[in-house]
Amino acid sequence: MLVPSKDILLKGEEGGYAVGAFNAVNMETAQAIFAAAERERAPFLIQITQTTLGYTEPDELFAVIRALADRVTVPLAVHLDHGRSFEIVMRFLRLGMTSVMIDGSLQEDGKTPRTYEENIEVTRKVVEAAHAIGVTVEGEIGRLGIIEGAHEDHLTVPEEAKRFVEETGVDILAVAIGTTHGLYKGTPTIAHDRLAAIAKIVPVPLVMHGGTGVPDEAVRKAVELGIRKVNIDTQIRVAFYDAIAEQVHATEKEHTEAEAKGGVRKYDIRKLLSPARDAMIEAIAEKMRLFGAAGKA
Ligand code: G3H
Ligand code: ZN
């Protein structure tokens, strides 16, 4: 049941829970996300970043997601994560995404900040096009994912966020509340007071990026305060890596034993990837339960 992400997040708003948005880069990551959602009966978002370009053509990965979406029995949205320009967003929209993010806080290089006015301009342009075909738009204000920890001048300013939503028409808003992308050196400090101030005056569902490594209690409190979408990527990669490492080690042992008995080495990519897929399912399912989305489909 492929739907605009707004529909899924507004149900979270009513029910006081958040929905996980999980990054897919290939067939196995996509399969793991769908399998976890089906098992946990959880609505979810599956997302692709523009950095996937160059690793795979988006229509190839989208074809896999489309096939899985035709079979799944829980609501989902397919989302473009961190789109950096109007052109890139249009390219993914054409694929059939039901949700897109225009990350107008940074220029196309993904490093140089855009001005507030530039962010409004590019975001408004995307909203106009996407809304014409009923697609949900996520915008971003504040600077997250750069320096660890709640640096005051990087946090989202509530009044600016309110104006940003009014001037752009975005449906959901990513806010800077102290999270960053990837693993944290120490324990991240989430600016819950700032989040509460934002949620009080901003009338759209809020998004937490950089969900990996945020302590469960801090996530639960953020959901209580109004976070309705939590982005998870690195956690899935870690589960994959650890399982692959374990399998490679086990296979090397099998190879040594086989050769010791005069046998030959056997290679089966599925023997590596299948346990990795299972490990990703467990990591994703755990997050669906933490966010309160499990059993809400
Ligand atoms: O947009 C994707 C996320 O913000 C993922 O962050 O890799 O820290 O889980 P993460
Ligand atoms: Zn992100």
Side-chain angles (χ1 to χ4, degrees):
M1 293 179 274
L2 205 41
V3 298
S5 61
K6 186 178 170 183
D7 300 3
I8 293 176
L9 300 186
L10 287 178
K11 285 228 171 69
E13 195 72 37
E14 284 162 26
Y17 61 87
V19 169
F22 304 96
N23 289 70
V25 291
N26 62 7
M27 180 181 77
E28 286 75 15
T29 47
Q31 289 172 325
I33 295 165
F34 277 85
E38 192 70 63
R39 193 185 81 188
E40 298 296 324
R41 308 302 307 152
F44 67 104
L45 275 71
I46 181 167
Q47 54 189 23
I48 305 176
T49 64
Q50 70 175 64
T51 53
T52 311
L53 294 174
Y55 173 70
T56 173
E57 277 310 306
D59 57 344
E60 296 161 1
L61 185 52
F62 197 75
V64 168
I65 291 173
R66 180 85 255 180
L68 291 162
D70 289 345
R71 271 195 289 275
V72 82
T73 65
V74 299
L76 77 137
V78 184
H79 178 77
L80 167 64
D81 185 32
H82 291 290
R84 297 243 183 263
S85 70
F86 176 80
E87 291 71 22
I88 284 280
V89 175
M90 293 307 112
R91 188 169 165 189
F92 281 83
L93 259 184
R94 208 176 53 182
L95 274 179
M97 295 285 198
T98 60
S99 183
V100 290
M101 178 187 186
I102 174 65
D103 181 353
S105 68
L106 295 173
Q107 301 285 0
E108 287 189 55
D109 64 7
K111 295 189 185 70
T112 322
R114 276 191 175 99
T115 65
Y116 182 76
E117 299 313 329
E118 286 168 338
N119 188 353
I120 286 189
E121 193 195 334
V122 70
T123 302
R124 190 186 285 150
K125 209 172 151 195
V126 166
V127 167
E128 202 180 330
H131 281 186
I133 53 173
V135 170
T136 301
V137 179
E138 174 180 340
E140 179 178 310
I141 181 126
R143 289 173 59 194
L144 52 77
I146 297 173
I147 298 173
E148 197 168 323
H151 290 253
E152 194 63 24
D153 56 358
H154 286 162
L155 299 181
T156 297
V157 177
E159 294 69 28
E160 276 190 6
K162 182 172 182 290
R163 182 183 152 209
F164 181 81
V165 170
E166 286 161 1
E167 296 207 11
T168 60
V170 287
D171 306 293
I172 53 182
L173 186 68
V175 289
I177 50 174
T179 59
T180 184
H181 290 128
L183 295 177
Y184 294 87
K185 291 190 199 87
T187 304
T189 320
I190 304 304
H192 287 109
D193 296 348
R194 178 61 65 99
L195 172 58
I198 296 167
K200 209 160 154 211
I201 61 172
V202 173
V204 299
L206 302 176
V207 183
M208 174 191 275
H209 279 247
T212 296
V214 178
D216 289 0
E217 212 30 59
V219 172
R220 284 194 197 95
K221 188 166 178 197
V223 174
E224 270 166 38
L225 292 169
I227 288 290
R228 296 292 167 244
K229 173 178 180 269
V230 182
N231 286 20
I232 299 284
D233 184 3
T234 305
Q235 191 72 57
I236 302 172
R237 304 178 192 191
V238 170
F240 181 87
Y241 263 75
D242 291 350
I244 291 286
E246 202 180 309
Q247 287 308 315
V248 167
H249 182 66
T251 308
E252 279 162 359
K253 229 163 130 269
E254 278 170 23
H255 284 171
T256 313
E257 284 160 11
E259 285 177 336
K261 293 186 196 129
V264 294
R265 299 169 172 226
K266 290 202 172 60
Y267 291 89
D268 184 344
I269 293 175
R270 294 161 297 181
K271 273 186 77 180
L272 282 187
L273 292 176
S274 182
R277 187 170 53 199
D278 293 342
M280 291 190 285
I281 292 171
E282 293 316 317
I284 294 161
E286 189 195 320
K287 294 299 179 189
M288 289 172 170
R289 293 191 294 272
L290 172 65
F291 305 152
K296 299 296 191 311

